Amino acid sequence: MPAEPLICADTATRVSSVLNRDVKQFGKQHMFDANEETCWNSDQGARQWVALDFPHTVKVSQLHIQFQGGFSSRLCTLEGEETGEELVKISELYPEDVNAMQISFVEETALDKLKITFENSTDFFGRIVVYHLRVLGERL
């Protein structure tokens, strides 16, 4: 079965921070709007993250992410949780510090919640800028 996009209108999204708390200009919604002009821009800090709470159980197999070069992460940790279970580490990814869309394949894991932690920003102040984020896999 081909991988399908798992993030939908009913997926609850949280982020660690938003630059200057300017949600209108730099909010989390911009990671999913398919607009090349908009992005989520975190505030400064050591560990930034994005958490996705899916409306149903999913099996994640791919992560597509596009950073702004100079504001990416050297290490991304993916953690997942099934309802009533503990958050467990699924994978570590090592993205490049480039503007291009990056596709990572991960071990297929059934989960209800996914947390992507950006462990090591390429920006001196720890900011992360994400233009596009897609999670692909299968709805269970």
Side-chain angles (χ1 to χ4, degrees):
M1 176 176 246
E4 62 180 311
L6 299 175
I7 299 170
C8 63
D10 295 328
T11 303
T13 307
R14 294 183 308 129
V15 293
S16 52
S17 65
V18 175
L19 184 65
N20 300 325
R21 294 193 174 124
D22 188 349
V23 175
K24 185 175 182 182
Q25 187 171 357
F26 300 117
K28 62 190 177 190
Q29 70 276 11
H30 297 305
M31 289 186 284
F32 314 111
D33 65 5
N35 184 338
E36 297 293 327
E37 303 292 318
T38 62
C39 61
W40 166 61
N41 194 333
S42 78
D43 217 333
Q44 58 188 5
R47 291 173 45 137
Q48 302 296 332
W49 50 264
V50 173
L52 303 167
D53 189 353
F54 299 99
H56 39 73
T57 302
V58 298
K59 186 184 288 184
V60 173
S61 60
Q62 297 178 39
L63 179 78
H64 298 196
I65 191 163
Q66 182 178 6
F67 294 102
Q68 178 177 324
F71 295 90
S72 65
S73 177
R74 291 182 185 97
L75 169 62
C76 298
T77 302
L78 275 59
E79 297 172 291
E81 173 186 328
E82 282 193 87
T83 302
E85 300 291 323
E86 298 274 328
L87 202 61
V88 295
K89 184 155 105 176
I90 299 169
S91 182
E92 288 183 343
L93 309 175
Y94 301 91
E96 295 180 47
D97 186 18
V98 295
N99 295 336
M101 179 68 77
Q102 299 180 61
I103 298 173
S104 298
F105 294 90
V106 299
E107 184 178 332
E108 290 190 6
T109 306
L111 50 85
D112 296 296
K113 296 180 183 178
L114 177 68
K115 183 176 182 183
I116 305 163
T117 304
F118 305 107
E119 304 278 353
N120 192 352
S121 175
T122 58
D123 174 56
F124 179 76
F125 296 103
R127 296 169 294 192
I128 298 290
V129 177
V130 176
Y131 279 88
H132 303 290
L133 175 64
R134 293 180 66 204
V135 177
L136 280 73
E138 178 183 351
R139 289 181 172 86
L140 299 178

